[in-house]
Amino acid sequence: MRLNENDIDLRDLDNMTIVSVETEHEYYDEDMADQITDLSPGDILDAQIQGEDVLQPNSIWRFLRFNVIGHNRMWADE
């Protein structure tokens, strides 16, 4: 996971594709916003995300839910 100013780059560990998920979204409640703020580069997430158009990888994606399940310092520097 890599943090940017407006989004988070997530790598799917099964197929190694990357999707950018918005750090701010109109549907995020305060708890979700706080969870996102607490994320660190290199965190490993179990996440459910939703895209505006699943056929467009560059579309806007948002978190539906996530849990931090680990951390890998090596991935923090990518």
Side-chain angles (χ1 to χ4, degrees), residues 40-57:
S40 299
D43 282 350
I44 300 171
L45 307 179
D46 173 28
Q48 182 178 12
I49 61 175
Q50 180 181 45
E52 290 184 336
D53 183 348
V54 295
L55 299 177
Q56 295 290 330

Side-chain angles (χ1 to χ4, degrees), residues 1-10 19-39 60-63 66:
M1 182 191 86
R2 185 178 348 169
L3 292 167
N4 300 307
E5 186 174 325
N6 297 318
D7 56 30
I8 298 171
D9 292 337
L10 298 179
V19 173
S20 293
V21 179
E22 300 293 312
T23 55
E24 295 180 4
H25 197 281
E26 63 183 298
Y27 294 112
Y28 292 162
D29 60 17
E30 187 175 334
D31 289 336
M32 177 67 78
D34 289 344
Q35 281 185 291
I36 293 169
T37 300
D38 292 341
L39 290 173
I60 296 172
W61 292 80
R62 69 179 176 108
F63 285 112
F66 71 88

